[in-house]
Amino acid sequence: MMKNKKLKLIIILVLVIQIILPAGMLGYHYSVYNYALENTPDFKFYLSYFDLYSYGDNDEIIYDDEDKNDVLYFDIAYRYYREDMFVTVDENGFAKISNAQNKKNNKHWFSFDNYNKMGSFSQAEGEFTYVETEEVKKIMSEWKDKYFDISGVEEIELKGGNAVYITAKVYKGVFIPTAVYKDNVKIIEIAAKK
């Protein structure tokens, strides 16, 4: 009889822990994410890859479409694969990334796994919007190709140094892209994903 009560108590404790632990971890993630959105600065990141295109009716890629069906994808430069990365600012105001060793000393770090889960951003799904100002319209119309397919920082620098870069919030493991800039003018706003 006593064994039966102990077994029931152990089963109840295990079930309670299985419910509380994931809920606590999820709550922690959302609190870190929301803190990052509201209280951390935007870091400017060099890109090693940037692509902006549209899908047609037959899922073919179109590079000059007016249907608000654009897709955005980018890769930041100098990232460490499968590692957590510290972010500091260099003398030019851009993010300087290094391998994270002791995360207690720096709250501005993100995990490769968190960054890698981002994938692409869809305009049709409301994940990004173009900034609607005359200056941005002029920049976009002068941008010969709406399509950008750049690999390697050297190629981006050949196109004008800091001509195209992203900003993102970084805090205790999360990486939240916020905007795309061309010639230091915000051209795209990226909606926060949770």
Side-chain angles (χ1 to χ4, degrees):
M1 186 76 141
M2 189 64 122
K3 265 187 167 179
N4 200 13
K5 285 185 179 181
K6 284 184 180 181
L7 183 61
K8 285 182 184 178
L9 183 60
I10 289 172
I11 290 172
I12 290 171
L13 283 173
V14 167
L15 289 174
V16 167
I17 289 172
Q18 286 181 341
I19 292 170
I20 292 175
L21 187 62
M25 290 173 62
L26 190 59
Y28 175 76
H29 171 76
Y30 282 116
S31 69
V32 167
Y33 191 92
N34 287 331
Y35 184 87
L37 281 176
E38 295 171 11
N39 300 306
T40 61
D42 279 328
F43 290 93
K44 298 190 297 188
F45 287 87
Y46 287 114
L47 300 176
S48 62
Y49 181 79
F50 182 81
D51 201 356
L52 181 60
Y53 56 86
S54 294
Y55 282 116
D57 294 333
N58 298 323
D59 287 335
E60 75 274 13
I61 293 177
I62 303 169
Y63 295 108
D64 194 20
D65 190 35
E66 299 291 326
D67 292 337
K68 305 287 186 210
N69 195 25
D70 292 348
V71 177
L72 167 67
Y73 181 80
F74 59 83
D75 235 344
I76 61 171
Y78 308 118
R79 63 191 171 104
Y80 294 87
Y81 290 91
R82 294 172 191 56
E83 300 286 340
D84 292 340
M85 294 159 266
F86 277 142
V87 178
T88 55
V89 178
D90 69 11
E91 62 278 354
N92 298 319
F94 279 82
K96 182 178 173 185
I97 299 173
S98 61
N99 192 355
Q101 297 295 328
N102 185 354
K103 297 178 218 167
K104 292 179 184 177
N105 293 337
N106 186 345
K107 60 187 174 196
H108 297 295
W109 62 274
F110 65 96
S111 71
F112 174 79
D113 290 337
N114 179 267
Y115 169 81
N116 207 36
K117 288 178 187 174
M118 282 187 310
S120 61
F121 297 86
S122 168
Q123 183 183 21
E125 307 251 337
E127 296 172 336
F128 78 89
T129 56
Y130 292 101
V131 175
E132 294 289 331
T133 65
E134 291 305 315
E135 184 180 22
V136 170
K137 288 177 185 176
K138 182 179 180 216
I139 288 171
M140 293 302 285
S141 68
E142 291 173 356
W143 204 352
K144 293 182 182 169
D145 296 318
K146 193 174 173 188
Y147 166 74
F148 239 88
D149 187 0
I150 303 174
S151 295
V153 174
E154 295 77 20
E155 291 187 45
I156 291 174
E157 288 173 355
L158 289 174
K159 297 225 178 238
N162 306 335
V164 180
Y165 61 89
I166 67 154
T167 55
K169 304 226 180 242
V170 174
Y171 183 72
K172 291 188 178 180
V174 298
F175 183 94
I176 308 167
T178 56
V180 177
Y181 287 77
K182 176 156 181 14
D183 302 325
N184 292 320
V185 175
K186 185 192 299 185
I187 59 170
I188 295 173
E189 290 183 359
I190 301 174
K193 291 183 180 182
K194 291 191 179 186

